[in-house]
Each structure stands twice: as structure tokens, then as C-alpha cells.
Amino acid sequence: MSALSMKRGKQVTERGNISILLVCEDQIECAGMVALLSNDRGISIVGDASSAAAAQRMISALNPDVVLCSERVLSHQTVELAEVIAARPKDAKPIYLIILLPSLNEEDIELLRIDRCIVLDRRLNSAELVAAIRVTAAGYLPVRSDLAGNLARASVSLKGASGTAGQQVKNLTKRERRVFELMIQGLSNPEIAADLKVAESTVKSHVQGILTKLNLRDRIQAVIYAYEAGLVRRSFQLTRGSLTAC
């Protein structure tokens, strides 16, 4: 099937292991995405929509693995779509939302609170995009490394926590607090292990213990938690970055 032959808002019946619903305002961009992703035999384009609102109406019928949404400016409709996907019943098949944006500001970071929502750079190359889709469909969260890179330059202090967050931080052991500080600064497990001169398996154990004690799902939630709790003392600017997986 030609990429240009796909009708807007209609179901497409290509076969593959990972089913995708595309959301693109621009028809030419949509055709390009279809052509790109259709080259991968493990990916099926099951439909496309011109808006997040239209995609929301199509989800029940198509039941895709991933909704891939490309936008120049984040819309309220896309935020609503993310919330609808996150609110699906726990016994339903998980659907993940990947949002491609040219930049991410401190307002858009609210998206990272929403379960199964991933925000990536619109300028990803084809290999990076396919890799991100595969990682997402497998249940992992590909993360813009610029989130971590900018946090690494932030002033982090667990002593600044107060209220409930302060009490939760106090429940961490001295070593867990140090690991948490390094997590917030964006260091990977191998980097934390090198800094603390311990085995990477030890770091993984500490990270899991921290997430459990703070009732957090992953590193991205840990970053959000740190900002809300006042552990990071300055705002940050987000720039283009590569991907890492939590």
C-alpha cells in the first residue's frame, strides 16, 4: 500500500507485531511517517488521525499498542488523550502514547506525570524513532537524556525537603539518600556505581528501594517528585537530547 493512499481517519490493515495509530495534523508528514514505519516488518500502521480528539474516538475500535502523536505545539486535546489512555482499566491491554515535540518546557513536563505517556524529540532520526517505539511497546520508558543532562547542572539538596516529602526522605538510609541525589542529577546506574565505587547491582538494589519507599514508579517520577518537594533549587531549560531507557 502506498503511503499516500491512506485515507485520513480510516483503518489501515498492514500486518506487524507492534500496532500504531498515527496522529499528525500535516498530511504530508503523516505520509512520510507511514512510509518510514512501514519499512519495518515488525510494525503495523493500523490507522491515522488528523487530531488527538479524532484519535481518542478511534482507540476503542483499533486498540493499538502505541499511539504516535507528532505536534509542533502541545495541544490540550493531546493532554486529554494522554489522560484517557492512562485511565484505561487495569485489565485492558496497555496502550502507550508517544508524543513528538520540537521542545519541552516546564509546563509540558506535566505530561511526565501521566502513566504510559512518553515525550520525545520531533527531530529523532528514523532509527531512533523505531527504537523508541520498540522500547515503549516492550513496556519500558524511553527518556530524553536532556532531562537528566540539565538536572545534572542543578543544585540538589535533600535537606530542603519539608512536609510529607521531608519525612519520606528521612526514611531513606544515608546511602539511599546519596543514590537519590545522583539519580536526580541524571546519573545512570553505571555512573552512580562508579561514583560510589560499588557494584552496579548494588546501585540497582538501592534504586528499587528508593522508588518503593517514596512510592514512585520510575526515574522520571523521581525527578518530578524532586521538583515538587523543593529538592532542586533552580529551574531548567530543555534542549535537544538523545534517548535513554528507564
Side-chain angles (χ1 to χ4, degrees):
M1 176 181 294
S2 168
L4 294 175
S5 70
M6 186 171 64
K7 294 182 179 179
R8 306 291 284 171
K10 298 297 184 179
Q11 183 171 353
V12 182
T13 57
E14 298 178 22
R15 299 187 61 184
N17 297 325
I18 302 172
S19 57
I20 293 180
L21 170 59
L22 282 178
V23 185
C24 295
E25 294 180 357
D26 187 286
Q27 189 167 0
I28 294 177
E29 180 187 11
C30 180
M33 296 280 277
V34 171
L36 166 66
L37 297 176
S38 296
N39 286 330
D40 192 301
R41 294 183 179 180
I43 293 177
S44 296
I45 310 299
V46 296
D48 82 293
S50 59
S51 69
Q56 187 173 325
R57 296 190 294 267
M58 298 169 66
I59 284 179
S60 296
L62 298 180
N63 200 28
D65 296 307
V66 175
V67 177
L68 179 60
C69 180
S70 179
E71 294 195 322
R72 291 179 174 83
V73 179
L74 181 66
S75 68
H76 294 299
Q77 291 180 343
T78 300
V79 176
E80 291 178 2
L81 175 62
E83 292 172 342
V84 166
I85 289 175
R88 284 170 57 83
K90 292 183 178 180
D91 57 350
K93 186 188 83 171
I95 295 176
Y96 298 92
L97 174 63
I98 297 178
I99 303 174
L100 303 178
L101 290 170
S103 62
L104 184 66
N105 58 39
E106 292 192 43
E107 288 73 30
D108 297 341
I109 203 171
E110 294 290 324
L111 284 170
L112 301 178
R113 302 172 184 272
I114 303 175
D115 196 19
R116 298 173 185 164
C117 179
I118 298 98
V119 181
L120 299 176
D121 198 313
R122 268 175 63 97
R123 295 164 293 185
L124 289 177
N125 64 42
S126 58
E128 289 174 329
L129 178 58
V130 170
I133 290 171
R134 289 187 175 279
V135 167
T136 299
Y140 296 93
L141 298 178
V143 176
R144 290 172 60 136
S145 63
D146 53 349
L147 285 175
N150 285 277
L151 287 173
R153 295 186 291 276
S155 173
V156 179
S157 173
L158 299 188
K159 295 179 181 178
S162 60
T164 302
Q167 186 57 50
Q168 288 177 320
V169 169
K170 288 179 181 178
N171 291 334
L172 301 178
T173 66
K174 183 177 180 179
R175 178 49 62 91
E176 285 175 338
R177 292 182 193 180
R178 179 55 183 159
V179 171
F180 187 41
E181 288 178 344
L182 296 174
M183 283 173 58
I184 295 170
Q185 292 174 348
L187 274 67
S188 65
N189 284 353
E191 289 170 334
I192 294 174
D195 185 274
L196 300 180
K197 296 180 174 56
V198 298
E200 187 176 344
S201 59
T202 301
V203 174
K204 289 181 179 179
S205 178
H206 284 316
V207 169
Q208 187 56 55
I210 292 165
L211 296 178
T212 299
K213 288 182 179 181
L214 300 182
N215 193 30
L216 302 173
R217 184 184 68 236
D218 50 43
R219 286 173 181 260
I220 290 297
Q221 282 201 345
V223 171
I224 295 171
Y225 175 94
Y227 270 87
E228 290 181 333
L231 308 183
V232 180
R233 297 190 177 280
R234 74 161 180 83
S235 62
F236 60 94
Q237 297 293 325
L238 295 180
T239 56
R240 184 180 181 185
S242 56
L243 300 179
T244 185
C246 290

